[in-house]
Amino acid sequence: MSTSKTEPGLSAEYVRYRGGLRRRRLLVLAIQVALVVLVLALWEWLPRAHLVNPLLTSYPSALWPTFVDLLVNGHLLAHTGATMVEALVGFVLSMAIGIGVASALWWSETVYRVLDPFLVVANAMPKIALVPIFYIWLGPRSSIYGIAIAIAVFSTIIMIYAGFRGIDPNKIKLARTFGASRRQVLAKVVLPGSVPTLIAALKMTAGLVLVGVVVGEFQSADAGLGYLIVNGSQMFKMNVVMTSVTLLAVLSCLIYLAVHFIEKALARRYV
């Protein structure tokens, strides 16, 4: 069988296969970039053609001066940093609570039977209705963390617990046959076997927490991108509003990249 001149030891078929994967990745990236460019072009053209009201949408070309102005006066770093810190804290706490409660549900069938209906009802409840209550209970700053966790944590618990229950029971029986305790089964079998579910929970929780943070900032914050959006809309500064929304999109992309790198690291070790 022939081998590649550039990569000795690899078959020509395998080299072509890797080349095909590389080309597909580049094609996907090119399509993604083209979609972003198309959206920005339509956003710029439609208001200038007066097909939509430019007073309501602004232009992409008008966002850069607003971005620079916010950066120069220090508002950009302050508000973006506040949202990032709130999202990071809410994400870590939601994942920690989610894994802890899901582990307790797996550990005890009685605990699961007691808490399951409450978790389902809490997950279905519209969390935005809790924002005024959290504001009164926790104050303007802590209520942001509270609503972010409330929006994310119940779905996280349910998803992680479903992953725990999906572990092959034969693996658990084998571990117990070799004398593993329940704690060892959880640490050595259930958690490593649930890595795909945990990765999915990371992605879902990151998005839900960011939604919760922005909702909380709408209600009570004096800093953050949600505050900028509310403040800009009240004064009809659509450039500030659209710049803040764009920054939220960039922040979401950064969160996606971070979770993607975590996924790759965990996949190499456990999957």
Side-chain angles (χ1 to χ4, degrees):
M1 185 177 292
S2 63
T3 58
S4 170
K5 295 181 180 179
T6 58
E7 299 181 70
L10 300 179
S11 68
E13 290 79 4
Y14 180 68
V15 172
R16 286 195 296 270
Y17 170 74
R18 290 206 325 185
L21 290 180
R22 190 178 301 111
R23 286 191 294 272
R24 281 194 289 272
R25 287 196 297 266
L26 291 175
L27 176 62
V28 170
L29 179 61
I31 293 175
Q32 290 172 336
V33 172
L35 287 174
V36 173
V37 172
L38 177 62
V39 170
L40 292 176
L42 287 174
W43 183 8
E44 182 75 25
W45 175 71
L46 289 174
R48 292 192 181 279
H50 296 286
L51 297 177
V52 298
N53 190 343
L55 188 63
L56 302 179
T57 60
S58 187
Y59 310 93
S61 59
L63 301 188
W64 178 250
T66 305
F67 177 86
V68 173
D69 181 59
L70 291 172
L71 183 63
V72 170
N73 61 30
H75 291 168
L76 179 70
L77 295 179
H79 292 293
T80 305
T83 297
M84 290 183 66
V85 169
E86 291 158 358
L88 180 61
V89 172
F91 173 76
V92 171
L93 290 177
S94 295
M95 285 301 300
I97 295 170
I99 294 174
V101 174
S103 299
L105 297 177
W106 176 86
W107 191 283
S108 172
E109 184 70 19
T110 301
V111 173
Y112 167 72
R113 291 183 179 276
V114 170
L115 295 183
D116 179 58
F118 297 102
L119 290 173
V120 173
V121 171
N123 186 53
M125 180 183 299
K127 311 303 186 302
I128 295 179
L130 301 175
V131 173
I133 299 174
F134 280 11
Y135 180 80
I136 295 172
W137 287 356
L138 303 176
R141 176 56 55 184
S142 297
S143 63
I144 298 174
Y145 299 104
I147 193 63
I149 294 171
I151 286 178
V153 72
F154 299 108
S155 298
T156 303
I157 292 170
I158 293 172
M159 176 178 286
I160 294 176
Y161 176 70
F164 288 178
R165 290 292 296 266
I167 297 297
D168 186 352
N170 292 323
K171 295 181 179 179
I172 297 176
K173 290 179 182 179
L174 179 62
R176 288 178 174 168
T177 299
F178 283 101
S181 66
R182 197 164 183 81
R183 179 173 299 176
Q184 289 173 325
V185 171
L186 177 63
K188 302 296 184 180
V189 179
V190 175
L191 283 172
S194 302
V195 166
T197 301
L198 291 174
I199 292 172
L202 284 175
K203 295 177 179 179
M204 181 193 68
T205 304
L208 291 177
V209 164
L210 188 58
V211 170
V213 166
V214 174
V215 169
E217 289 176 346
F218 283 170
Q219 171 70 25
S220 61
D222 55 3
L225 295 176
Y227 167 79
L228 273 185
I229 292 172
V230 172
N231 188 57
S233 63
Q234 289 175 344
M235 295 188 292
F236 229 76
K237 294 182 178 179
M238 293 307 298
N239 287 349
V240 174
V241 173
M242 300 307 291
T243 300
S244 302
V245 172
T246 303
L247 288 172
L248 280 174
V250 172
L251 185 57
S252 299
C253 291
L254 293 177
I255 292 173
Y256 168 79
L257 290 175
V259 174
H260 177 68
F261 288 130
I262 294 173
E263 178 181 5
K264 291 180 65 176
L266 291 176
R268 282 195 298 266
R269 183 170 181 179
Y270 295 105
V271 178

